[in-house]
C-alpha cells in the first residue's frame, strides 16, 4: 500500500494535468483579472511542480499550532484565517461575471433560499432554462486531503467528483422540491474542474456573447483563463498571507524597503 507521501505526487500530477489546469500559464496579463504579482506567479508555479516554496522554509509552525510543510499543503488546508473564503469569493465573482457577460440575470448568496439558512447556494440564475431558476454552489477541494487522497492517486478528478456528489446530496432535494435546478461548480486546488463544472461551462458558452461576437472558442478561452488565474492567484495569496501572519516582519515585495528598520525580504535565489 502506498503511504501519503507516495500518493501525494501522483494525485497532484493528475489534478494539475486537467485540460483547464494550466490555462493560467497561457494568460497574458492584459487586465487585473488575468494578472499575477511576481511572487504570486512563482508560488503558483512551485505549487504546480510540487516544489518547496522558499517563503515557507522560514516557518516551523503555523499560527494554528500545526507543523507546517514547505510544499504549501498545510497552508492551503489550514482552517485558520480567511484565505479559503477569499479564494471562494474570488472564483464566485468570476463565475458571476461570466454569467452576466452572456445576459443571465443572477443573484448572489440569497438569504432564506431554503428553510435551513445554513444552506445558501452561491449564485442563482433566474433565466436559465424554461423559466426555471438554476442554483449554483462554488467549491474548491484539495485533492491531497486525507478523505480523497487515495482516490485522487488512482483516477483523474476523483476529488472534484466526490465534492460534486457531496454538494448534490446537500442541495438537490431541497432545490427540486421548490422547483429549482441545482448544480455544483467544483475546482481542485491544482486546477482540475469537476465534470459538472465542465459541462455547465460548455453550456454557458452557447449563449450569445457580445464581447466575443458569439465566437464560442474565444469566449471559452478567455473565461477559462480568468477562472484559472483566479484560482491559482488566490492559492498563492493564501500562502503569502499565512507567511505574513506567522512572520509579520517579512516583506513579500521583491523590492526591499529602504526606509525604517530593515525588513526580511523574500529572495528567489
Ligand atoms: Zn494552520
Amino acid at each position: 500500500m502506498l503511504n501519503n507521501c507516495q500518493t501525494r505526487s501522483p494525485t497532484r500530477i493528475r489534478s494539475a494535468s486537467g485540460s483547464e489546469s494550466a490555462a493560467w500559464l497561457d494568460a497574458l496579463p492584459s487586465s487585473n483579472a488575468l494578472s499575477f504579482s511576481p511572487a504570486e506567479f512563482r508560488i503558483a508555479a512551485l505549487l504546480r511542480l510540487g516544489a518547496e516554496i522558499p517563503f515557507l522554509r522560514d516557518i516551523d509552525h503555523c499560527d494554528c499550532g500545526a507543523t507546517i510543510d514547505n510544499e504549501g499543503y498545510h497552508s492551503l488546508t489550514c482552517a485558520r484565517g480567511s484565505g479559503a473564503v477569499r479564494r471562494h469569493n474570488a472564483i464566485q465573482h468570476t463565475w458571476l461575471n461570466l454569467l452576466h457577460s452572456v445576459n443571465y440575470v443572477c443573484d448572489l448568496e440569497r438569504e432564506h433560499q431554503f428553510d435551513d439558512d445554513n444552506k445558501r447556494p452561491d449564485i442563482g440564475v433566474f433565466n436559465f432554462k424554461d423559466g426555471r431558476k438554476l442554483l449554483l454552489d462554488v467549491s474548491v477541494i484539495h485533492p491531497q486531503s486525507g478523505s480523497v487522497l487515495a482516490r485522487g492517486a488512482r483516477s483523474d478528478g476523483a476529488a472534484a467528483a466526490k465534492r460534486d456528489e457531496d454538494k448534490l446530496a446537500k442541495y438537490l432535494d431541497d432545490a427540486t422540491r421548490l422547483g429549482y435546478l441545482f448544480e455544483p461548480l467544483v475546482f481542485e486546488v491544482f486546477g482540475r474542474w469537476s465534470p459538472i463544472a465542465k459541462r455547465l461551462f460548455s453550456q454557458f458558452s452557447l449563449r450569445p456573447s457580445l464581447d466575443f461576437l458569439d465566437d464560442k472558442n474565444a469566449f471559452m478561452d478567455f473565461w477559462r483563463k480568468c477562472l484559472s488565474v483566479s484560482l491559482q492567484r488566490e492559492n498563492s495569496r493564501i500562502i503569502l498571507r499565512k507567511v505574513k501572519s506567522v512572520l509579520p516582519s517579512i516583506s513579500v515585495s521583491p523590492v526591499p524597503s529602504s526606509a525604517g528598520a530593515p525588513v526580511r525580504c523574500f529572495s528567489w535565489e
Side-chain angles (χ1 to χ4, degrees):
M1 181 181 288
L2 295 173
N3 62 33
N4 279 2
C5 290
Q6 290 169 310
T7 49
R8 279 190 180 180
S9 187
T11 300
R12 173 183 51 78
I13 291 168
R14 283 187 184 279
S15 182
S17 61
S19 57
E20 306 81 12
S21 303
W24 61 279
L25 286 165
D26 290 332
L28 294 173
S30 56
S31 67
N32 286 341
L34 292 169
S35 299
F36 290 83
S37 73
E40 289 164 355
F41 189 90
R42 286 163 174 162
I43 290 175
L46 293 168
L47 283 172
R48 179 172 169 80
L49 294 169
E52 286 195 354
I53 297 166
F55 271 127
L56 295 172
R57 287 188 197 136
D58 290 339
I59 302 174
D60 294 325
H61 289 85
C62 178
D63 50 358
C64 75
T67 304
I68 213 161
D69 60 283
N70 292 344
E71 290 79 30
Y73 173 75
H74 178 78
S75 304
L76 290 172
T77 54
C78 179
R80 184 150 182 170
S82 59
V85 173
R86 288 170 181 248
R87 179 178 61 193
H88 168 273
N89 292 348
I91 296 169
Q92 177 189 38
H93 278 90
T94 307
W95 277 112
L96 186 69
N97 290 338
L98 178 161
L99 292 163
H100 282 159
S101 79
V102 287
N103 293 318
Y104 280 121
V105 179
C106 305
D107 63 2
L108 203 61
E109 298 202 29
R110 185 176 174 188
E111 288 185 305
H112 312 304
Q113 187 78 73
F114 301 124
D115 292 339
D116 178 355
D117 211 30
N118 289 322
K119 292 183 179 178
R120 194 186 300 180
D122 293 314
I123 300 171
V125 185
F126 288 93
N127 54 332
F128 180 65
K129 191 176 178 185
D130 302 329
R132 293 183 75 187
K133 186 176 182 181
L134 169 66
L135 303 175
L136 298 166
D137 200 69
V138 174
S139 180
V140 179
I141 184 166
H142 201 309
Q144 294 173 329
S145 297
S147 59
V148 290
L149 176 61
R151 294 191 204 197
R154 290 195 301 268
S155 62
D156 293 340
K162 172 69 169 59
R163 180 61 63 83
D164 270 353
E165 290 170 13
D166 294 344
K167 290 289 184 182
L168 288 166
K170 179 177 179 181
Y171 287 112
L172 187 59
D173 284 351
D174 283 342
T176 304
R177 196 175 307 119
L178 295 171
Y180 303 136
L181 302 166
F182 172 79
E183 302 280 13
L185 295 171
V186 179
F187 291 165
E188 294 180 359
V189 157
F190 298 106
R192 186 177 281 277
W193 297 17
S194 79
I196 293 175
K198 284 200 267 194
R199 173 173 55 76
L200 284 171
F201 181 63
S202 183
Q203 207 166 335
F204 298 151
S205 74
L206 299 176
R207 297 270 293 182
S209 165
L210 279 178
D211 293 341
F212 297 95
L213 303 175
D214 299 341
D215 181 336
K216 177 185 167 188
N217 290 331
F219 172 92
M220 294 179 84
D221 182 63
F222 175 77
W223 286 109
R224 191 184 289 116
K225 286 173 178 166
C226 288
L227 287 161
S228 180
V229 168
S230 187
L231 171 63
Q232 298 308 328
R233 188 172 54 198
E234 290 300 324
N235 284 340
S236 298
R237 288 178 180 176
I238 289 173
I239 291 174
L240 289 167
R241 287 191 200 100
K242 182 61 73 183
V243 172
K244 193 78 180 170
S245 70
V246 177
L247 284 176
S249 63
I250 203 166
S251 169
V252 296
S253 165
V255 181
S257 167
S258 57
V263 293
R264 303 185 60 184
C265 190
F266 179 70
S267 165
W268 293 102
E269 279 76 46

